[in-house]
Amino acid sequence: MRETLSLTVNGDLIETSAPTHYTLLETLRYILGLTGSKQGCDKGDCGACTVLLDGEAILSCILPVQEAAGRSVVTVEGLAGGPRPSPLQDALDLTGGAQCGFCTPGILCSATQLLAGNGSPTRDEIEHALSGNLCRCTGYTKIFEAVELAAAACRSGRTAGEVLAARAEGG
Amino acid sequence: MHPDELNALQRAAADDPGIAGFPGPDGLRVLGRRNRKPEGLRKNTGAEAYTDDLALPGMLHAKLLRSPHPHAQIVSIDTQHATRIVGVHAVITGEDLPTKYGIIPWTRDEQALAVDKVRYVGDAVACVAAVDEDTANAALEAIEVEYEVLPFYLEPEQALTAEAAAVPIHGPKREGRNGNVTKHVELEFGPVDDLMAAADVVVEGDYYFHGTTHAPIEPHCAIGHVDADGLLTVWSSTQVPHYLQRELARVLGLDVARVRVVQPAVGGAFGGKSEPFDLEFCVALLALRTGRPVKLLYTREELFYSHRGRHPMRMWYRVGASRDGKLKAVDARSLLDGGAYASFGLVTTYYSGQLLTAPYELESYRFDSTRVYTNKPPCGPKRGHGSVQPRFAFEISLDKLAAELGLDPIELRRRNFMGTGRTVNEFRVQSNGFLECLEAVERASGWKEKHRKLPYGRGVGVAGSCYISGTNYPIYPNDMPQAAVQVQVERSGRVSVLHGASEIGQGSDATMAAIAAEELGVPLGYVRVLSADTDIVPVDLGAYSSRETLMVGNACVSACRQVAERVRGSVGSALGIPPERVRLAGGWAFDAEEPTRDDRRLPIAAAFQIAEAEHGTLGAIGHYNTPKEGVHGEYRGGTIGASPAYSFTAHVAEVEVDPETGFVDVKTIWVAHDCGKALNPMLVEAQMEGSAYMGFAEAIFEHQVMKRGNPEGGLHDAPSLLDYRIPTSRDCPEFVSLIVESADPEGPYGAKEAGEGPLHPSLPAIANAIWDAVGVRMDALPFTPDRVWRALRDHSARSA
Ligand code: FES
Ligand code: FES
């Protein structure tokens, strides 16, 4: 049994049909071809499937797709909003916070929500915001650094790379 | 060259931080810097494709039926009903894939689908390909398997009994032996008994490592596809494409040259994807049978059963020393719980003894290790293969020794530093930065102000370790190169690096790209990397035993230098200078003696064009093989554990223990690691942090454990990422990375491994810190609150 539904994905209004038991993650990955959001456990334990639903980070693997009908979904593919990576994506790349990269899409979505509401998050706030996203590679250190770097870049209106270069020069 | 092209190249060179600047003191411009990874932005924008992100037209989905019994005879399997379900395309069972396989050629004991008997809960017995996963799952329900249950053994001690030997998990290799023993190794170096008897002080201990699994965030996935020509392609989340290709061909009865293995991006592996698995054989056969592409994605639960994680190990250690703390004799006995199949077990058994002998000078050493089959998910190699457990036992022993002798534990380690030369088991060590590692953690942690000086409940502990940078011998015996890299240099300035190393998040693609950019003088953005596709790249053995930077790196240097030599020759003739004076760097080919003279330099692309005109299309294959002469002892087993170069690590951990609850809060781990030369410090730190994290996780949180008794014996106790607790962002200590460089003559630019060594000291350093904090010795893992609390209670009962 399939059902048609419409939802906004990365800014586009999309009309699609999905089996009624599909989750948002399955719809994104297997129907819409947006494979950036990952499936690590399929039961709400790991956070790899995190996307933004009306701006809020949620686990798409346990959200029945009907519940996203009429709402706005942003996935990792939509975070940049243009040809250049977002400051957060750029910062994560510069610090090497994506090793295997499998947790990365979810981390980016959770951190994007954090930065949208808090331009100068503390370490504690970052740890808290990412506590639903398991990363098996990094020990989180370089991910924390990236979020801080992105916040600094946004505050100063510079790129993450410029912030790092300025720091290296002691500025 | 058109001026626009030229300008574009120079702009790219100027934008590239690794190129525009002056070389560092080591003369390197690209290497040694925190360069971005070539695939980094793909990973950060969701563009990177992992195996489950691939979909082929007409693709079917496969599912495995797994055994509910830990040990049982298969009486019959009836697949008729399943086959008749609409949407089911094929059902296969053990009879369809009877050939045994295994990563170690001498211990092939697995079948893709069980034939005759199942050996653990989760052993696969049948596989279905259907139009979608739901239909495949429905078909699994319709398969009828009749089992005759057998006695099962969840503990190695149990498997060693005479009753168990009568109904062994695997038939004995020789008449009269207990089939449940996989491997026994006993080696002695020097007169252990005499020196132990003469030692001034002897510490003894009974240690236990509990067993942990890899839990990469990406579940295993494979896709099989057969084209109209009958050529088989398997895409898989593997870290050993070459070995997989060989085993697929052998088991399926195909010509190796007609099998292609492609490794897409892998979402973490840690050793858990370093041998062939049931799913890869099944998708291949199902694709051959149905003529359709077939995908199989493990569920998270299946990962916990496929396992191949770190062996539970019971270890008895006696360590004897003189009054001044010099190590006289080490006597180790270990019992390894192997689970149901051999996996890498033969090597694990050797590693449990062979890898312990540096960085210290041991006057004598004996180990006796036995690996035993049990009816549990098979154990195998996890990051720090076979050596994390003995290191735990040994480094705690050293701490006890220091306490007994009234010596500072760092000082005790210093006194026993071996330097370079031969280990007691005759491995050749050519570089050793362990002393610098000790010094770095001592200073950074404020050790002198903290050890034995912090208030009750707070403490610091130290531990050291050594690891290999690849093994001198490949898994199947042959004299061919262990690694090879093909470099193509195109007239636009673009350089392609084709290599077989498996990028699993550690940065092998980034490392090869940076080496090529360094050697050929092009901006990093001009290098493309193509890796791990057996149809395209030269053979490499894969991402295991920390071999890639050293071996593939050396091969890459060799390939690049062959091309660079031709370019320098042609440019030398064009500029009228000897080729030795031509340098390739920063997007230019220039006269090293007059680098700023415009008439003595050429844009690098123009240099490539001159060379191409003279020599034909530019490219070369470089290879690397390990040294075999004089690098290990000539005794039986002396080759196992021998490596071209050894890395060294020291940790200090600081903990806070709550005596009321037994909760251990690890505050900080200082990690100093001797990686020879940090080709990219960002990647080296990333490996150090990730390793220390994983060791910390095993010490405090994780436990791969099976339920006991009937009827649920052999069932995994916690097969989910919620119940098998791995640390979240709120659980981790602060990791402080301190890079130490002691260039090794065998490594590219001196580089050694960094991906596994820095895991080892985490566990004993935390144990030693707990002792400093509250005075109890935690000789058995994990350090969960209940266990620490009980240890505290027993301790106070004893001292009362
Ligand atoms: S896949 Fe959604 S939480 Fe793991
Ligand atoms: S980078 Fe691999 S899981 Fe986070």
Side-chain angles (χ1 to χ4, degrees), chain A residues 21 29-30 38 40 45 89-90 92-95 98-102 104 108 124 127 130-131 135-137 140 142, chain B residues 36-37 40 43-44 50 52-53 134 213-215 217 267-268 300 505 682 685-687 689-690 693 702 727 729:
Chain A
H21 67 279
R29 287 180 56 78
Y30 305 133
K38 301 302 178 206
D45 296 342
Q89 290 171 312
D90 196 32
L92 203 62
D93 189 41
L94 275 169
T95 61
Q99 286 190 30
C100 79
F102 207 75
T104 309
L108 285 165
D124 200 57
E127 284 181 13
L130 299 182
S131 60
C135 175
R136 195 58 165 159
C137 299
Y140 305 98
K142 297 214 178 315
Chain B
R36 294 177 193 251
K37 303 199 284 184
K43 285 180 172 167
N44 278 297
Y50 300 76
D52 187 44
D53 299 340
D134 294 337
T213 198
H214 315 82
I217 307 297
R300 174 53 59 181
M682 177 181 89
E685 285 169 8
Q687 287 306 304
E689 289 156 10
Y693 148 87
E702 299 178 21
S729 55

Short mmCIF file of all heavy atoms in Angstrom, two decimals, chain A residues 21 29-30 38 40 45 89-90 92-95 98-102 104 108 124 127 130-131 135-137 140 142, chain B residues 36-37 40 43-44 50 52-53 134 213-215 217 267-268 300 505 682 685-687 689-690 693 702 727 729:
data_model
loop_
_atom_site.label_atom_id
_atom_site.label_comp_id
_atom_site.label_asym_id
_atom_site.label_seq_id
_atom_site.Cartn_x
_atom_site.Cartn_y
_atom_site.Cartn_z
N HIS A 21 4.15 2.18 5.36
CA HIS A 21 4.95 1.93 6.56
C HIS A 21 6.33 2.56 6.48
O HIS A 21 7.15 2.37 7.38
CB HIS A 21 5.08 0.42 6.79
CG HIS A 21 5.89 -0.28 5.74
ND1 HIS A 21 5.37 -0.65 4.54
CD2 HIS A 21 7.18 -0.65 5.72
CE1 HIS A 21 6.31 -1.24 3.82
NE2 HIS A 21 7.42 -1.24 4.52
N ARG A 29 15.99 8.27 1.35
CA ARG A 29 17.07 7.49 0.76
C ARG A 29 16.63 6.69 -0.46
O ARG A 29 17.31 6.67 -1.48
CB ARG A 29 17.68 6.54 1.79
CG ARG A 29 18.53 7.21 2.84
CD ARG A 29 19.11 6.21 3.83
NE ARG A 29 19.89 5.16 3.18
CZ ARG A 29 21.12 5.32 2.73
NH1 ARG A 29 21.74 6.47 2.88
NH2 ARG A 29 21.74 4.33 2.14
N TYR A 30 15.53 5.98 -0.29
CA TYR A 30 15.21 4.97 -1.31
C TYR A 30 14.18 5.44 -2.33
O TYR A 30 14.01 4.84 -3.37
CB TYR A 30 14.78 3.67 -0.63
CG TYR A 30 15.82 3.15 0.35
CD1 TYR A 30 15.47 2.73 1.64
CD2 TYR A 30 17.17 3.10 0.00
CE1 TYR A 30 16.44 2.29 2.54
CE2 TYR A 30 18.14 2.65 0.89
CZ TYR A 30 17.76 2.25 2.15
OH TYR A 30 18.73 1.80 3.04
N LYS A 38 22.12 8.98 6.74
CA LYS A 38 22.56 7.59 6.86
C LYS A 38 21.69 6.77 7.80
O LYS A 38 21.05 7.32 8.70
CB LYS A 38 24.01 7.54 7.36
CG LYS A 38 24.99 8.26 6.45
CD LYS A 38 24.98 7.70 5.04
CE LYS A 38 25.91 8.46 4.12
NZ LYS A 38 25.50 8.37 2.72
N GLY A 40 22.24 3.96 10.54
CA GLY A 40 23.22 3.22 11.33
C GLY A 40 22.57 2.15 12.19
O GLY A 40 23.23 1.20 12.59
N ASP A 45 18.73 4.81 17.78
CA ASP A 45 19.80 4.73 18.77
C ASP A 45 21.07 5.51 18.41
O ASP A 45 21.87 5.81 19.30
CB ASP A 45 20.23 3.27 19.00
CG ASP A 45 19.10 2.43 19.59
OD1 ASP A 45 18.16 3.02 20.15
OD2 ASP A 45 19.18 1.19 19.49
N GLN A 89 30.07 23.09 7.63
CA GLN A 89 30.64 22.02 6.80
C GLN A 89 32.11 22.29 6.51
O GLN A 89 32.95 21.40 6.55
CB GLN A 89 29.85 21.91 5.48
CG GLN A 89 28.44 21.37 5.70
CD GLN A 89 27.58 21.47 4.44
OE1 GLN A 89 27.53 22.53 3.78
NE2 GLN A 89 26.90 20.40 4.11
N ASP A 90 32.39 23.54 6.21
CA ASP A 90 33.76 23.94 5.91
C ASP A 90 34.66 23.72 7.14
O ASP A 90 35.77 23.20 7.04
CB ASP A 90 33.75 25.42 5.50
CG ASP A 90 35.03 25.82 4.80
OD1 ASP A 90 35.61 24.96 4.12
OD2 ASP A 90 35.44 26.99 4.96
N LEU A 92 34.18 21.68 9.67
CA LEU A 92 34.35 20.26 9.98
C LEU A 92 35.39 19.64 9.06
O LEU A 92 36.15 18.76 9.45
CB LEU A 92 33.00 19.54 9.86
CG LEU A 92 32.86 18.25 10.64
CD1 LEU A 92 32.99 18.47 12.13
CD2 LEU A 92 31.52 17.59 10.35
N ASP A 93 35.42 20.13 7.84
CA ASP A 93 36.41 19.62 6.89
C ASP A 93 37.81 20.09 7.29
O ASP A 93 38.77 19.33 7.22
CB ASP A 93 36.07 20.11 5.49
CG ASP A 93 36.93 19.44 4.43
OD1 ASP A 93 37.16 18.22 4.55
OD2 ASP A 93 37.38 20.12 3.50
N LEU A 94 37.91 21.32 7.73
CA LEU A 94 39.22 21.88 8.09
C LEU A 94 39.81 21.24 9.34
O LEU A 94 41.02 21.11 9.47
CB LEU A 94 39.10 23.39 8.33
CG LEU A 94 39.21 24.27 7.08
CD1 LEU A 94 38.81 25.69 7.43
CD2 LEU A 94 40.62 24.23 6.52
N THR A 95 38.95 20.86 10.27
CA THR A 95 39.48 20.26 11.50
C THR A 95 39.65 18.75 11.36
O THR A 95 40.18 18.11 12.25
CB THR A 95 38.54 20.50 12.71
OG1 THR A 95 37.28 19.89 12.42
CG2 THR A 95 38.36 21.96 13.01
N ALA A 98 35.43 14.80 10.21
CA ALA A 98 34.77 13.66 9.55
C ALA A 98 35.85 12.66 9.19
O ALA A 98 36.64 12.91 8.29
CB ALA A 98 34.03 14.10 8.30
N GLN A 99 35.90 11.56 9.91
CA GLN A 99 36.86 10.51 9.53
C GLN A 99 36.18 9.60 8.51
O GLN A 99 36.30 9.82 7.32
CB GLN A 99 37.35 9.76 10.77
CG GLN A 99 38.33 10.59 11.60
CD GLN A 99 39.02 9.78 12.69
OE1 GLN A 99 39.24 8.60 12.55
NE2 GLN A 99 39.36 10.43 13.78
N CYS A 100 35.44 8.60 8.97
CA CYS A 100 34.74 7.78 7.98
C CYS A 100 33.59 8.56 7.39
O CYS A 100 33.12 8.28 6.29
CB CYS A 100 34.25 6.47 8.59
SG CYS A 100 32.75 6.61 9.57
N GLY A 101 33.09 9.55 8.12
CA GLY A 101 32.05 10.43 7.58
C GLY A 101 30.64 9.90 7.70
O GLY A 101 29.70 10.54 7.22
N PHE A 102 30.47 8.76 8.33
CA PHE A 102 29.13 8.15 8.35
C PHE A 102 28.20 8.83 9.35
O PHE A 102 27.01 8.92 9.14
CB PHE A 102 29.24 6.66 8.64
CG PHE A 102 28.11 5.86 8.06
CD1 PHE A 102 28.06 5.60 6.70
CD2 PHE A 102 27.10 5.37 8.86
CE1 PHE A 102 27.01 4.86 6.14
CE2 PHE A 102 26.05 4.63 8.32
CZ PHE A 102 26.00 4.38 6.97
N THR A 104 28.62 11.94 10.07
CA THR A 104 28.75 13.37 9.77
C THR A 104 27.44 14.07 9.37
O THR A 104 27.14 15.15 9.90
CB THR A 104 29.84 13.56 8.68
OG1 THR A 104 31.01 12.86 9.10
CG2 THR A 104 30.16 15.02 8.48
N LEU A 108 26.13 17.18 11.50
CA LEU A 108 25.96 18.50 10.88
C LEU A 108 24.55 19.04 11.14
O LEU A 108 24.38 20.22 11.44
CB LEU A 108 26.20 18.40 9.37
CG LEU A 108 27.68 18.28 8.95
CD1 LEU A 108 27.78 17.82 7.50
CD2 LEU A 108 28.40 19.61 9.13
N ASP A 124 30.08 22.70 26.80
CA ASP A 124 29.02 21.92 27.41
C ASP A 124 27.76 21.91 26.55
O ASP A 124 27.13 20.89 26.37
CB ASP A 124 28.72 22.49 28.80
CG ASP A 124 28.01 21.49 29.67
OD1 ASP A 124 28.58 20.38 29.85
OD2 ASP A 124 26.89 21.78 30.12
N GLU A 127 28.44 19.64 23.55
CA GLU A 127 28.35 18.23 23.96
C GLU A 127 26.90 17.81 24.09
O GLU A 127 26.51 16.72 23.68
CB GLU A 127 29.05 18.02 25.31
CG GLU A 127 30.56 18.01 25.22
CD GLU A 127 31.20 17.79 26.59
OE1 GLU A 127 30.50 17.40 27.54
OE2 GLU A 127 32.42 18.02 26.70
N LEU A 130 25.05 17.42 20.71
CA LEU A 130 25.48 16.28 19.89
C LEU A 130 25.32 14.94 20.61
O LEU A 130 25.74 13.91 20.09
CB LEU A 130 26.95 16.47 19.48
CG LEU A 130 27.27 17.71 18.64
CD1 LEU A 130 28.74 17.74 18.26
CD2 LEU A 130 26.40 17.76 17.38
N SER A 131 24.71 14.96 21.77
CA SER A 131 24.71 13.74 22.58
C SER A 131 23.85 12.62 21.97
O SER A 131 23.97 11.47 22.37
CB SER A 131 24.25 14.03 24.01
OG SER A 131 22.94 14.55 23.97
N CYS A 135 29.43 8.91 17.33
CA CYS A 135 30.54 8.85 16.39
C CYS A 135 31.50 7.80 16.92
O CYS A 135 31.84 7.80 18.10
CB CYS A 135 31.26 10.19 16.28
SG CYS A 135 32.72 10.08 15.23
N ARG A 136 31.92 6.89 16.06
CA ARG A 136 32.78 5.81 16.49
C ARG A 136 34.26 6.07 16.15
O ARG A 136 35.12 5.32 16.58
CB ARG A 136 32.30 4.52 15.81
CG ARG A 136 32.84 3.24 16.40
CD ARG A 136 32.51 3.06 17.86
NE ARG A 136 32.72 1.70 18.30
CZ ARG A 136 32.90 1.36 19.57
NH1 ARG A 136 32.86 2.29 20.52
NH2 ARG A 136 33.09 0.11 19.91
N CYS A 137 34.50 7.12 15.36
CA CYS A 137 35.87 7.32 14.87
C CYS A 137 36.67 8.37 15.64
O CYS A 137 37.87 8.23 15.79
CB CYS A 137 35.86 7.77 13.41
SG CYS A 137 35.14 6.60 12.27
N TYR A 140 35.13 12.61 19.30
CA TYR A 140 34.39 13.90 19.29
C TYR A 140 35.27 15.15 19.36
O TYR A 140 34.78 16.25 19.10
CB TYR A 140 33.34 13.95 20.42
CG TYR A 140 32.36 12.80 20.39
CD1 TYR A 140 32.53 11.70 21.22
CD2 TYR A 140 31.27 12.81 19.52
CE1 TYR A 140 31.64 10.63 21.18
CE2 TYR A 140 30.38 11.74 19.48
CZ TYR A 140 30.57 10.66 20.32
OH TYR A 140 29.69 9.60 20.28
N LYS A 142 37.61 16.62 17.56
CA LYS A 142 37.70 17.49 16.39
C LYS A 142 36.32 17.98 15.93
O LYS A 142 36.21 19.00 15.24
CB LYS A 142 38.45 16.77 15.27
CG LYS A 142 39.90 16.45 15.67
CD LYS A 142 40.85 16.52 14.52
CE LYS A 142 42.29 16.26 14.90
NZ LYS A 142 42.77 16.94 16.13
N ARG B 36 43.41 19.48 4.01
CA ARG B 36 42.09 18.84 3.94
C ARG B 36 42.22 17.50 3.24
O ARG B 36 43.15 17.29 2.45
CB ARG B 36 41.14 19.71 3.11
CG ARG B 36 40.80 21.06 3.70
CD ARG B 36 39.92 21.77 2.69
NE ARG B 36 39.76 23.18 3.00
CZ ARG B 36 38.61 23.72 3.44
NH1 ARG B 36 37.56 22.96 3.64
NH2 ARG B 36 38.52 25.00 3.68
N LYS B 37 41.27 16.63 3.49
CA LYS B 37 41.27 15.35 2.80
C LYS B 37 40.60 15.50 1.43
O LYS B 37 39.65 16.28 1.31
CB LYS B 37 40.50 14.31 3.62
CG LYS B 37 41.05 14.13 5.03
CD LYS B 37 40.59 12.83 5.64
CE LYS B 37 39.16 12.85 6.09
NZ LYS B 37 38.77 11.60 6.76
N GLY B 40 37.03 15.05 1.75
CA GLY B 40 36.46 15.68 2.93
C GLY B 40 35.15 16.41 2.68
O GLY B 40 34.16 16.21 3.38
N LYS B 43 32.21 14.21 2.02
CA LYS B 43 31.64 13.63 3.24
C LYS B 43 30.83 14.67 4.01
O LYS B 43 29.85 14.34 4.68
CB LYS B 43 32.75 13.07 4.14
CG LYS B 43 33.31 11.75 3.63
CD LYS B 43 34.40 11.18 4.49
CE LYS B 43 34.77 9.77 4.03
NZ LYS B 43 36.01 9.27 4.63
N ASN B 44 31.23 15.91 3.91
CA ASN B 44 30.55 16.96 4.66
C ASN B 44 29.33 17.54 3.96
O ASN B 44 28.67 18.42 4.50
CB ASN B 44 31.55 18.07 4.99
CG ASN B 44 32.37 17.72 6.22
OD1 ASN B 44 31.82 17.57 7.30
ND2 ASN B 44 33.66 17.52 6.05
N TYR B 50 28.42 5.51 0.01
CA TYR B 50 28.74 4.27 0.74
C TYR B 50 27.96 3.14 0.06
O TYR B 50 27.07 3.40 -0.76
CB TYR B 50 28.35 4.42 2.21
CG TYR B 50 29.08 5.56 2.90
CD1 TYR B 50 28.71 6.89 2.68
CD2 TYR B 50 30.16 5.32 3.74
CE1 TYR B 50 29.40 7.94 3.28
CE2 TYR B 50 30.85 6.37 4.34
CZ TYR B 50 30.47 7.68 4.11
OH TYR B 50 31.16 8.71 4.69
N ASP B 52 25.52 1.12 0.76
CA ASP B 52 24.05 1.13 0.76
C ASP B 52 23.48 2.34 0.03
O ASP B 52 22.28 2.43 -0.21
CB ASP B 52 23.51 1.08 2.20
CG ASP B 52 22.00 0.92 2.23
OD1 ASP B 52 21.48 0.09 1.43
OD2 ASP B 52 21.31 1.62 2.99
N ASP B 53 24.32 3.29 -0.35
CA ASP B 53 23.83 4.43 -1.13
C ASP B 53 23.73 4.10 -2.61
O ASP B 53 23.19 4.89 -3.39
CB ASP B 53 24.77 5.64 -0.95
CG ASP B 53 24.86 6.08 0.50
OD1 ASP B 53 23.94 5.74 1.28
OD2 ASP B 53 25.83 6.76 0.87
N ASP B 134 10.87 -6.50 2.65
CA ASP B 134 9.70 -7.08 3.33
C ASP B 134 9.39 -8.47 2.80
O ASP B 134 9.10 -9.39 3.57
CB ASP B 134 8.47 -6.16 3.14
CG ASP B 134 8.66 -4.83 3.85
OD1 ASP B 134 9.47 -4.78 4.79
OD2 ASP B 134 7.99 -3.86 3.46
N THR B 213 33.21 -5.31 20.86
CA THR B 213 33.01 -5.39 19.42
C THR B 213 33.30 -4.04 18.76
O THR B 213 33.45 -3.03 19.44
CB THR B 213 31.59 -5.91 19.09
OG1 THR B 213 31.56 -6.38 17.74
CG2 THR B 213 30.53 -4.82 19.28
N HIS B 214 33.40 -4.03 17.41
CA HIS B 214 33.84 -2.81 16.70
C HIS B 214 32.75 -1.75 16.66
O HIS B 214 33.04 -0.57 16.81
CB HIS B 214 34.24 -3.14 15.27
CG HIS B 214 35.09 -4.36 15.13
ND1 HIS B 214 34.58 -5.63 15.10
CD2 HIS B 214 36.43 -4.49 15.02
CE1 HIS B 214 35.56 -6.50 14.98
NE2 HIS B 214 36.69 -5.84 14.92
N ALA B 215 31.53 -2.19 16.37
CA ALA B 215 30.41 -1.26 16.25
C ALA B 215 30.68 -0.05 15.37
O ALA B 215 30.49 1.08 15.80
CB ALA B 215 29.92 -0.82 17.64
N ILE B 217 29.64 2.69 12.71
CA ILE B 217 28.29 3.21 12.56
C ILE B 217 27.66 2.73 11.24
O ILE B 217 26.45 2.58 11.14
CB ILE B 217 28.26 4.75 12.68
CG1 ILE B 217 28.94 5.20 13.98
CG2 ILE B 217 26.83 5.28 12.66
CD1 ILE B 217 28.27 4.73 15.26
N GLY B 267 32.01 3.28 6.17
CA GLY B 267 31.64 4.07 7.35
C GLY B 267 32.17 3.49 8.64
O GLY B 267 31.42 3.23 9.57
N GLY B 268 33.47 3.32 8.70
CA GLY B 268 34.11 2.78 9.90
C GLY B 268 34.26 1.28 9.80
O GLY B 268 33.40 0.58 9.25
N ARG B 300 21.47 -3.77 12.37
CA ARG B 300 22.40 -3.49 13.46
C ARG B 300 22.60 -4.72 14.34
O ARG B 300 23.69 -5.03 14.79
CB ARG B 300 21.89 -2.29 14.28
CG ARG B 300 22.67 -1.96 15.52
CD ARG B 300 24.15 -1.76 15.29
NE ARG B 300 24.49 -0.72 14.35
CZ ARG B 300 25.73 -0.41 14.00
NH1 ARG B 300 26.77 -1.07 14.52
NH2 ARG B 300 25.98 0.53 13.12
N GLY B 505 38.32 5.85 6.53
CA GLY B 505 38.17 6.99 7.43
C GLY B 505 39.49 7.44 8.02
O GLY B 505 39.59 8.51 8.61
N MET B 682 47.01 16.64 11.43
CA MET B 682 45.58 16.56 11.72
C MET B 682 45.09 15.10 11.67
O MET B 682 44.35 14.66 12.55
CB MET B 682 44.82 17.40 10.70
CG MET B 682 43.33 17.37 10.82
SD MET B 682 42.59 18.40 9.54
CE MET B 682 42.42 17.22 8.20
N GLU B 685 46.63 13.15 14.72
CA GLU B 685 45.88 13.44 15.95
C GLU B 685 44.53 12.74 15.93
O GLU B 685 44.07 12.21 16.94
CB GLU B 685 45.62 14.94 16.09
CG GLU B 685 46.83 15.75 16.49
CD GLU B 685 46.58 17.25 16.34
OE1 GLU B 685 45.41 17.66 16.06
OE2 GLU B 685 47.53 18.02 16.48
N ALA B 686 43.89 12.76 14.76
CA ALA B 686 42.57 12.14 14.65
C ALA B 686 42.65 10.65 15.00
O ALA B 686 41.78 10.11 15.68
CB ALA B 686 42.01 12.31 13.24
N GLN B 687 43.73 10.00 14.56
CA GLN B 687 43.90 8.58 14.89
C GLN B 687 44.22 8.39 16.37
O GLN B 687 43.77 7.44 17.00
CB GLN B 687 45.00 7.96 14.03
CG GLN B 687 44.60 7.76 12.58
CD GLN B 687 43.32 6.97 12.45
OE1 GLN B 687 43.20 5.85 12.94
NE2 GLN B 687 42.31 7.55 11.81
N GLU B 689 43.30 10.40 18.86
CA GLU B 689 42.08 10.65 19.64
C GLU B 689 41.09 9.49 19.49
O GLU B 689 40.51 9.02 20.48
CB GLU B 689 41.43 11.96 19.17
CG GLU B 689 42.23 13.19 19.56
CD GLU B 689 41.99 14.40 18.66
OE1 GLU B 689 41.06 14.36 17.83
OE2 GLU B 689 42.75 15.38 18.77
N GLY B 690 40.92 9.04 18.24
CA GLY B 690 39.98 7.95 18.00
C GLY B 690 40.41 6.67 18.70
O GLY B 690 39.59 5.91 19.20
N TYR B 693 39.99 7.10 22.49
CA TYR B 693 38.54 7.01 22.74
C TYR B 693 38.11 5.55 22.80
O TYR B 693 37.36 5.14 23.69
CB TYR B 693 37.78 7.75 21.61
CG TYR B 693 36.44 7.15 21.28
CD1 TYR B 693 35.30 7.53 21.98
CD2 TYR B 693 36.31 6.17 20.30
CE1 TYR B 693 34.06 6.95 21.71
CE2 TYR B 693 35.09 5.59 20.01
CZ TYR B 693 33.96 5.99 20.71
OH TYR B 693 32.76 5.40 20.44
N GLU B 702 32.01 -0.79 27.47
CA GLU B 702 31.54 -1.83 26.55
C GLU B 702 31.76 -3.24 27.06
O GLU B 702 32.72 -3.50 27.76
CB GLU B 702 32.24 -1.64 25.19
CG GLU B 702 31.91 -0.28 24.59
CD GLU B 702 32.63 -0.02 23.28
OE1 GLU B 702 33.05 -0.98 22.62
OE2 GLU B 702 32.75 1.17 22.93
N PRO B 727 30.35 5.31 24.06
CA PRO B 727 30.32 6.66 24.63
C PRO B 727 29.69 7.69 23.70
O PRO B 727 29.92 7.68 22.49
CB PRO B 727 31.80 6.99 24.86
CG PRO B 727 32.50 5.68 24.86
CD PRO B 727 31.72 4.78 23.95
N SER B 729 28.89 12.01 23.17
CA SER B 729 29.70 13.22 23.31
C SER B 729 29.78 13.69 24.75
O SER B 729 30.68 14.44 25.11
CB SER B 729 29.10 14.33 22.44
OG SER B 729 27.73 14.51 22.77
#
